[in-house]
Structures are given as C-alpha cells and as structure tokens.
Amino acid sequence: MQKSYAKMEESPITSIKPHGWLRRYLELQKTGLTGHLEAAGFPFNEISWNNFSDLDAETGWAKYEQTGYWADGMERCAELLGSRSLRDRVGESIDYVLDNADEDGYLGPKFMKKSDGWNRWPHVVFFRAIMAKYSATGDERYINALVKHYLGSQCDFSNARDVLNIEQLVWLYRITGEKKLIDLAEKTWADYNAKTNDDNTMRAYLSPKRAYAHGVTYNEIAKLGAILYSATGKREYLRPTLNAYKKIDRYQMLVDGVMCSNEFMLDNDYMMTHETCDIVDYSWAIGYVYMATGDGSWGDKIERATFNAGIGSVDEKFRALQYFSCANQVILDDNSNHNDFFKGGKWMSYRPNPGTECCPGNVNRFFPNYCARMWMKKGYTNVFAALYGASEYRFGTGDGRVTITEETDYPFEDTVRFTFSAKKPRKLCFHIRIPGWCENPSVKVNGETVEIKNVKGFTVIERVFSDGDKVEACFPSTARICDYHGQGLYVEKGPLVYTYGMWGERHVDKDEVRSTPDFPAYNIYPDKRWNFALCEDSELTVEKNAPMSNEPWDVRHVPLTIKVSAREVMGWTLKHVNKIKYVENLYTVPWVMLKKDCECTFTPRHPTKKFIEEHGLGEVEELTLVPYGAAKCRMTIFPKTEKAKKA
C-alpha cells in the first residue's frame, strides 16, 4: 500500500455494521428500489452489465452509467446489511465483466472501448462496485483485472467525462504501487486542463467567477484534485478543489445542503432545485475532500445533505423518488415541475422513474455511501468517528482486535455513546468530530469530563483503551430561525432543517406506465393550509415525540417537532399556468424545454410586500414543523411577517 497524504482513509466496508434506524433504512432499500429497480423499467429490467449485446451501441453508453450506479449502490447496501441475495446479484455482473475481458484486458461493452470523451465514463461508475467488492473481500482478482484494463488497453482519458477514470487509477496505484498508474493519472489531468475551456478546470475553480456547469459533471471533476493530492501530496491539486466548493457555498448552495443543479448550476434562489443525482455525487465528492483535509466541517456538509436533501428526495418506503427536489414543494404531480428544465413535466413528482434513468440508478448510492464512511482510519492507531449514527465498527486482528459500539438516535438526539470491546488494552488516538453548529460540546471518558481541543473540527482522545471503556460525546443543538440570503426565513436544529410538512393527498397516477401497486407513481396535493408567513421573533419550542422508532423519516410519526408562530397570507394560492414559455439560452441544449401548451399548477413564489398589504394576514397561530427529510409535501422557506408579539 502506497503512502497516503490524506488525513483519513476509508475503512473496509465489512468493518462497519449500521444499527437502529440506519440499518432499517438500508433494509427499506433492499425491499424497495435498490432490490427491485427493474420496476423502473428500461434499462434496469435488462441489467446490462451482465449481458453485453451487439445492439448496445444503438442505445449508447447511458444505460451502462445508469445500471452502473445501481450496481454500486446495491453492492454497498449488500455488504452493510450482510445480504447474500443482493451480494450475489452484483457478483454475477462483476464476474460476467471480468470473464469477458478482451485479450488486452479491456472490460465492458465493445462499443465503449473507443473513447469519445464519454464511452469510458460508465466504467468509473461500475468500477466503484468492484472497488466496494474488493473492500469487502480483498480478492486480488479484482485488482489484477482493473490494472490490466487500464494499462493493457491503450486509451486517452483526457476528454470530457472520461477524465473521471483518474479516481480508479489513483485507487489502484495506492493499492499496487504501480507507478504507471499514477503517471497516467497525472498526465490525464494535465492534458484535460490544457485542452478544456469550460468551468470544470483548475483555472476555473481558482477563479472568482460563479461556475455555470452541469451539476453532476462539476462535482465529479472537482473532486479529482483532492484524490490526486491524497496520492501525491501536491498542494497544487488540492487548492482548486477547495475553491470549487467554496464557490458552491457562496453562489449555489440551497437550504437542504446540496447546491442548485436543475440540471445546471444557476444560483441560490429559494425556489431553485437540485437533481437527485447531485445529492449523491456532491456527498460522494466531498467525502474525498473530507479524507484529504481531515477537516470536520466536510462531515457537517455530508450529514446535512444526506439527512435533508437525500432522505427528502425519496418516499418513506424507498419505492419512489424525485428527479428534482425543492425546499418549497406543495404540489407534486405530473405537471408540477416549475423549473425551466422540462417545465410542466413530472420531474418533481415521486415515481419509480420520474424523468430519466440516471436518478433511479444513482439514488441507491447516497445512504450506503454515508454508512460506509461513518468510520475512518489512518494507520493502525488513528480511528475517526467521521459521521454519526448507531453502528458497530471492528478493526485490528487477533488479540489486537477492537470493536467500538456507537449508540445514539442521532440526529434526533444530541448525545453519542461509544463502548470499546477489546481482548487486550490497546493504545489508540480516537478522533471525535465536533459539529460546527454545536457551541458547547462536552466529552466524557468513563464518566469523567475531558478537555476538548477542537482542531479542524475534531478532538482527540489519546489513551490506552481497555475492554468496557466508555466515551460519551454531547453536542447540544439549539433550534433557531435563520435568514435565507434575505429571501425568507427557515428553521434548523443541529444538522436538520425543519419544514412545515404534510402527508398530502396521494393519488396513484393511473396514466404512468411504470407505476405498479408495489411501486406506485404518486400525484401529491396539499391536504391542509400551507400559505403562511413566519413571525421572525417567534419563540421556538422543541417537542420530543416518544417512542423513537426505527422509521423516523415519516411525517406521521417523527421523533422531534418544533413549534413556531406564523400568520396565514390571505389570497396566496397555487399558481396555475396554461402556457409554458420557452426560455432561450438558459441551458446549453435546446431539447430541455417542453415546448407545448399545457395546463400546469406550480408551487408559487413568495407573495410580494404589496400583495400582502392588499390581501392581509390572518391571526398568529402555531405551526408544527418536522424534519425536512420526513416531509415530501413541504413549505420550508417562509416569507417574513411582522413580529408575533405585535400582531
């Protein structure tokens, strides 16, 4: 194993066992779309990575990207659950690919062998499933096959998304030490940056200019600098990556923790949305930045994106998803998409396939990725509690084996408890992430408070740990009303955003051909008033709803709610449109707009001050807010009103 300049490294996926609601969520994936994505139709009912065909060239590389996403998410879900059935399904595809390699080592469909800037991109996606399989098994067959694929079959990876193969080249170099791999990775990155002139280059990342790029492409390419830095220690790779994400925070970050990407990165307007693929790719990409820097603030970002944007983009049983998600979405039917991209279509509704096939494939990755990166390591003595959740982490061998059991209902409680089990005492540096939103953290070791030295979002307990030792970390969080860039008000507590959510009137869309009784396509409409303005001086009351269940992400029985004062805005109603206007030059391709007349109903923008003055406000009343992820039909960013105490 080559030296890593990253501050943290991934642990073997089989060393982590999620417990509590995290395990239950993975089980819902298994019984839901992750285990039955054929319900979403083509291409998932063909599983193309284990059935190459001469006809594949007619449909192109895209279905290999889409089914590759699925394979990766399924493999990680399988290993985290210990599910033989899911593991075997992915294993069949991997074995087929390896058994049908070309003489020069090339893996995959023959028509994708010749690079055009995109044909080699789906390999990146599918090879992540092989990376996870190697993490679980240590089988050198996977390493040998991938090395031969990259070094045996000559290819120029420096065009368009083919450049993303750098991720696998560096991963293989770290394992094998084969210098040709890192040389190819660095040359590919240099050549790509020399010939590319869009906002996905090191030059563009370092510039102050707001990026205008396809969201998935931006995230996937921006992470490469962190990956190359981790293998080489060259700071010139890392700096552009860090600035790329600073610009996202400045210009395009939305309230639920993921940037605007519908499908391009526009701005942070409160009615902007993000593609579900970007929830996955953003959190995956910044995971590499997290490991490279060891800065706990990246863990905060991953948690916010996962708990809010990720869980909020799928239904309660993981059987339907959105293509686009918004903080404010009170109508979700087959023509409620208010974005200019396919405006008036079904892309914001919850369905097994709400638009195109990339998101149904990719959505299976976001939560297994979270669980697989909860525990990190560095060498033999450094252990990192990087992301929080009930789980068990095992490391070491023989008498040096240690198990850390993490007990918590996080993010629905502020306390995380760790219990160490070991045959023999072992000296460790136990790194505990201190969330940036926590003002008064405390840590106890065997009941005694220890000093917190917060360095880049972590405190370290360096000691000889013995069997039965206990560490308790408390991260008090305060519910607060926040201003969203002067555009409205929202409520947050710890890593969770809170929303005025409702179950909604849910109707199965009988016209949707990909809707079945087990995997329905929903049209969802509000089932109560939603047209409120928030009183900015409202006192917030946090209420705990017992008992805590293993399915806390259901608006009907959430474990925590927050009471807030608000006033109804009279006359503020859904927006009805009978003609879609084509917006020129907003996107780079012309086919992204629905150019037709249609009857559409959209979630409206906030009423103007003049509108409120003319129509008036209702009396002050109390609203109950729920965690964002639990609510599909929701109002999150509210217009302001005068102070409640003066109402």
Side-chain angles (χ1 to χ4, degrees):
M1 181 71 74
Q2 287 297 110
K3 177 181 178 180
S4 172
Y5 293 88
K7 302 300 186 294
M8 304 185 296
E9 300 167 358
E10 288 183 281
S11 297
I13 193 167
T14 48
S15 68
I16 300 168
K17 298 297 180 187
H19 291 170
W21 74 259
L22 292 90
R23 181 175 181 83
R24 177 57 180 156
Y25 201 85
L26 292 169
E27 290 171 345
L28 290 173
Q29 286 198 218
K30 178 184 176 182
T31 57
L33 287 170
T34 303
H36 303 278
L37 196 55
E38 62 275 4
F42 179 85
F44 307 108
N45 50 5
E46 296 183 8
I47 317 180
S48 54
W49 280 98
N50 65 2
N51 185 26
F52 301 155
S53 165
D54 292 337
L55 300 177
D56 287 339
E58 297 178 9
T59 54
W61 56 264
K63 74 175 184 176
Y64 286 94
E65 172 200 36
Q66 295 150 2
T67 53
Y69 285 141
W70 182 22
D72 180 35
M74 194 192 309
E75 170 61 20
R76 293 172 196 272
C77 186
E79 300 301 343
L80 291 162
L81 285 176
S83 169
R84 176 177 293 181
S85 61
L86 293 185
R87 187 185 291 131
D88 288 348
R89 289 183 71 179
V90 183
E92 289 176 5
S93 294
I94 293 175
D95 288 344
Y96 179 87
V97 171
L98 268 58
D99 291 343
N100 287 275
D102 279 4
E103 290 185 3
D104 61 3
Y106 170 79
L107 303 172
K110 301 297 185 289
F111 80 91
M112 296 196 313
K113 186 173 184 178
K114 184 177 180 181
S115 173
D116 65 351
W118 292 87
N119 277 340
R120 293 293 190 106
W121 146 244
H123 292 85
V124 175
V125 178
F126 183 73
F127 285 175
R128 288 172 184 156
I130 299 180
M131 291 160 67
K133 183 70 78 174
Y134 175 77
S135 177
T137 65
D139 190 337
E140 292 297 321
R141 179 173 61 118
Y142 304 123
I143 301 301
N144 295 335
L146 292 186
V147 170
K148 190 173 181 182
H149 167 85
Y150 282 110
L151 298 184
S153 58
Q154 297 297 312
C155 180
D156 177 5
F157 294 106
S158 65
N159 297 301
R161 276 206 207 170
D162 282 357
V163 72
L164 296 169
N165 283 273
I166 287 173
E167 180 179 354
Q168 281 67 36
L169 289 167
V170 172
W171 180 76
L172 290 167
Y173 165 70
R174 288 274 297 110
I175 294 170
T176 66
E178 174 55 68
K179 190 173 183 298
K180 291 180 181 178
L181 293 164
I182 193 63
D183 288 345
L184 178 57
E186 291 195 86
K187 182 179 186 302
T188 296
W189 189 229
D191 291 348
Y192 168 84
N193 279 279
K195 70 175 67 170
T196 304
N197 294 311
D198 61 21
D199 285 347
N200 293 302
T201 64
M202 288 195 293
R203 297 184 305 279
Y205 295 152
L206 288 170
S207 79
K209 175 182 175 290
R210 183 176 72 182
Y212 177 76
H214 180 252
V216 167
T217 307
Y218 189 91
N219 277 305
E220 289 281 6
I221 296 178
K223 75 180 188 298
L224 296 179
I227 291 173
L228 285 164
Y229 164 77
S230 295
T232 66
K234 298 177 182 178
R235 296 288 302 182
E236 60 264 32
Y237 288 138
L238 184 59
R239 284 181 54 247
T241 292
L242 296 178
N243 206 54
Y245 285 103
K246 285 181 181 178
K247 293 201 294 184
I248 281 180
D249 288 343
R250 185 180 308 126
Y251 298 122
Q252 289 129 340
M253 182 56 66
L254 302 182
V255 71
D256 61 1
V258 174
M259 79 285 191
C260 162
S261 53
N262 52 25
E263 280 195 357
F264 288 79
M265 297 160 55
L266 300 179
D267 56 43
N268 59 15
D269 182 88
Y270 69 97
M271 288 297 285
M272 285 295 177
T273 66
H274 45 62
E275 182 189 356
T276 296
C277 277
D278 277 281
I279 301 169
V280 187
D281 290 314
Y282 171 75
S283 55
W284 176 253
I286 66 172
Y288 280 111
V289 186
Y290 191 11
M291 288 184 279
T293 64
D295 188 330
S297 65
W298 296 99
D300 297 349
K301 293 176 185 293
I302 294 171
E303 288 185 350
R304 190 175 182 105
T306 301
F307 297 151
N308 299 289
I311 294 175
S313 70
V314 291
D315 78 332
E316 296 78 10
K317 298 297 183 182
F318 212 89
R319 299 191 173 206
L321 69 143
Q322 295 176 286
Y323 198 96
F324 290 143
S325 295
C326 190
N328 291 0
Q329 50 180 48
V330 294
I331 180 169
L332 302 150
D333 66 11
D334 58 349
N335 64 12
S336 64
N337 174 28
H338 63 254
N339 296 280
D340 288 311
F341 195 101
F342 277 107
K343 193 165 193 170
K346 62 185 179 181
W347 288 35
M348 288 186 68
S349 61
Y350 288 82
R351 295 163 187 254
N353 187 329
T356 71
E357 289 70 33
C358 55
C359 287
N362 214 352
V363 74
N364 301 285
R365 300 176 57 227
F366 82 85
F367 198 72
N369 286 348
Y370 178 89
C371 293
R373 286 174 164 175
M374 289 194 299
W375 290 95
M376 301 280 192
K377 63 182 179 65
K378 181 70 173 180
Y380 296 102
T381 59
N382 288 278
V383 176
F384 297 80
L387 303 169
Y388 291 119
S391 58
E392 186 177 281
Y393 177 53
R394 296 182 179 182
F395 58 97
T397 59
D399 288 345
R401 190 172 186 83
V402 177
T403 299
I404 305 176
T405 302
E406 180 179 355
E407 296 176 297
T408 182
D409 287 331
Y410 189 91
F412 305 107
E413 74 162 317
D414 296 335
T415 302
V416 183
R417 296 162 289 276
F418 304 96
T419 301
F420 287 72
S421 300
K423 285 188 176 182
K424 289 185 176 181
R426 181 169 172 181
K427 186 174 182 179
L428 295 170
C429 294
F430 183 38
H431 302 251
I432 300 173
R433 191 181 105 250
I434 307 298
W437 43 259
C438 178
E439 296 180 357
N440 297 295
S442 64
V443 175
K444 294 181 179 179
V445 177
N446 295 329
E448 296 186 6
T449 300
V450 298
E451 181 183 3
I452 291 178
K453 295 181 179 179
N454 192 336
V455 179
K456 295 180 69 174
F458 279 93
T459 189
V460 184
I461 300 172
E462 186 175 358
R463 71 191 303 269
V464 175
F465 285 88
S466 300
D467 188 60
D469 279 349
K470 297 182 182 297
V471 176
E472 181 179 286
C474 186
F475 311 122
S477 58
T478 302
R480 56 181 184 169
I481 296 176
C482 305
D483 179 87
Y484 183 77
H485 304 297
Q487 302 174 38
L489 302 175
Y490 69 96
V491 174
E492 67 179 17
K493 182 180 185 295
L496 299 181
V497 175
Y498 279 74
T499 186
Y500 183 59
M502 60 196 85
W503 178 256
E505 291 183 8
R506 300 191 179 191
H507 305 280
V508 176
D509 187 345
K510 297 180 181 179
D511 295 328
E512 174 59 70
V513 296
R514 292 176 178 176
S515 180
T516 67
D518 289 333
F519 294 86
Y522 291 115
N523 290 325
I524 305 179
Y525 305 95
D527 57 6
K528 58 183 178 181
R529 292 174 300 142
W530 51 266
N531 51 324
F532 292 96
L534 207 64
C535 300
E536 57 185 323
D537 73 333
S538 173
E539 295 181 359
L540 302 180
T541 303
V542 179
E543 295 187 349
K544 186 174 183 179
N545 304 315
M548 168 74 182
S549 76
N550 278 339
E551 293 188 21
W553 302 101
D554 187 317
V555 72
R556 297 168 296 182
H557 49 77
V558 294
L560 284 179
T561 56
I562 296 176
K563 303 287 188 181
V564 64
S565 297
R567 303 177 72 182
E568 184 178 3
V569 180
M570 312 309 292
W572 185 25
T573 61
L574 297 175
K575 181 180 180 180
H576 299 282
V577 177
N578 58 21
K579 186 174 183 180
I580 300 298
K581 181 180 179 182
Y582 183 76
V583 180
E584 297 285 353
N585 301 321
L586 183 59
Y587 297 100
T588 56
V589 287
W591 54 264
V592 301
M593 304 293 297
L594 286 181
K595 294 181 283 187
K596 67 176 185 179
D597 293 347
C598 64
E599 292 286 341
C600 302
T601 306
F602 301 142
T603 299
R605 295 186 64 84
H606 291 169
T608 64
K609 183 177 180 181
K610 181 179 179 181
F611 180 97
I612 295 176
E613 290 174 350
E614 291 176 350
H615 290 77
L617 295 165
E619 296 297 320
V620 175
E621 52 187 295
E622 190 175 65
L623 300 184
T624 299
L625 307 185
V626 300
Y628 184 103
K632 314 312 166 189
C633 194
R634 58 188 178 240
M635 178 63 63
T636 308
I637 300 176
F638 299 84
K640 301 178 185 179
T641 184
E642 62 254 35
K643 299 181 185 298
K645 294 176 182 177
K646 295 182 180 180

